[in-house]
Amino acid sequence: MSTPTYDVVAIGNAIVDILASADDAFIAEIGVAKGSMQLMFSSEEADALYAKMGPGMEISGGSAANTVAGVAALGGKCGFIGQVADDQLGQVFAHDVRSIGIEFATPVRAGDPTTGRCLIFVTPDGQRTMNTFLGAGQFLPAAAIDTAMIADSAILYLEGYLWDPEEPRAAMRAAIDCARGAGRKVAFTLSDVFCISRHGGDFRQLLSDGLIDILFANESELAALAETEDFDAAVAKISAQVPTLVVTRGEHGACAIQNGARAEVKAEPIAKVVDTTGAGDLFAAGFLHGQAQGYDLNASLKLGAVCAAEIISHVGARPMVDMKALAAKHIG
Ligand SMILES: OC[C@H]1O[C@H](O)[C@H](O)[C@@H]1O
């Protein structure tokens, strides 16, 4: 097997985030569950919610895109595959990933819908409530999959959010076949409990077919996938089906089980949680970069925790400090 050019190639939703402060009363008023993610199914619905939003900040996002942005900031070589439309938000998204050295060559899609956007309300406790219009992202076709790039990457990283729409799901299945055919690793994030409610059967099948090498979950996603609220039982059940399981536990840190060996990390202390958007994405970035660099499980978890702490200390899910220097300070 040849040495791969890329450390991580991701397939995910190409989204520009619009973030604004809101209080709990506003979250109740718009009728969504605080801390959750819900889909908006039309640009009219997105426009109506945007009209209610206070002054916003636009920052590129998208879960898997955030992760490769983190890996690239740490010095990894990355690629991204995702669908944007031929519009201004699409140009912003493409500019932002390319400007940090990520290879992004998915052809733009003409016509409606627009590029995806996510309206994110951040409450004073740092909690984020996301409202996503996937837009063009839900039409990523299998034909857009760059098989040469995937076969040339140590890790293919997929987001569960994108398993929902039909075309990208087919595209991701083709990408898994391509990565595995080339002897590369496949990493998958479960993204949200709602993805498991809708596609838990598929996810369990991917695991039992041995198609996933690294699985990322938070505690609620793990419980939903394992169909038990008993954390230790859930870890035992799922870790028996995947070579590496990583479970993020918010302020309680994270744990990973790799081929039977278990490691834990505490959450990195920070002065103030400003915005939790992208915490899991950046944890995945640190962990994957560590694994791609050959770090052991403890060091990979530590780098994940350091990256997650950086991202929650400011608004937006893209790193804002010199991540190489930050990693060097903590990992050496
Ligand atoms: O995981 C956080 C990301 O999910 C949503 O897709 C937003 O784009 C945000 O950046």
Side-chain angles (χ1 to χ4, degrees), residues 56-239:
M57 267 171 97
E58 293 181 14
I59 304 175
S60 287
S63 179
N66 295 336
T67 296
V68 281
V71 176
L74 289 163
K77 176 82 183 140
C78 296
F80 180 74
I81 298 167
Q83 190 65 65
V84 294
D86 190 7
D87 57 16
Q88 198 185 352
L89 285 185
Q91 286 168 18
V92 168
F93 181 89
H95 167 269
D96 288 354
V97 288
R98 290 182 185 135
S99 71
I100 49 175
I102 295 172
E103 188 99 5
F104 175 52
T106 312
V108 299
R109 186 176 188 272
D112 283 339
T114 61
T115 295
R117 68 202 117 130
C118 183
L119 305 183
I120 304 179
F121 298 98
V122 183
T123 36
D125 56 0
Q127 183 60 274
R128 95 287 184 268
T129 303
M130 304 196 292
N131 304 268
T132 309
F133 173 57
L134 293 175
Q138 63 200 303
F139 296 106
L140 176 75
I145 295 302
D146 183 338
T147 50
M149 186 163 74
I150 291 167
D152 199 13
S153 177
I155 299 171
L156 169 70
Y157 182 68
L158 305 171
E159 65 172 72
Y161 282 136
L162 199 55
W163 203 261
D164 208 39
E166 199 177 322
E167 281 190 76
R169 193 184 325 136
M172 289 198 283
R173 284 194 186 278
I176 291 172
D177 289 347
C178 173
R180 298 212 70 87
R184 307 305 188 192
K185 289 193 171 154
V186 178
F188 193 94
T189 174
L190 292 170
S191 294
D192 194 290
V193 169
F194 99 86
C195 300
I196 301 153
S197 318
R198 292 165 70 109
H199 302 289
D202 279 3
F203 299 162
R204 291 181 197 101
Q205 191 68 48
L206 290 173
L207 292 177
S208 62
D209 288 345
L211 297 177
I212 308 295
D213 299 286
I214 304 173
L215 181 71
F216 291 93
N218 66 22
E219 288 175 280
S220 6
E221 292 155 10
L222 179 75
L225 188 70
E227 299 175 300
T228 171
E229 292 297 325
D230 179 331
F231 181 72
D232 291 332
V235 166
K237 182 173 177 179
I238 302 302
S239 65

Side-chain angles (χ1 to χ4, degrees), residues 30-55:
I30 61 171
V32 298
K34 185 176 161 184
S36 66
M37 192 292 287
Q38 37 279 315
L39 291 174
M40 298 183 290
F41 294 98
S42 68
S43 57
E44 289 75 23
E45 193 182 344
D47 289 345
L49 186 57
Y50 183 55
K52 293 183 183 160
M53 195 176 204

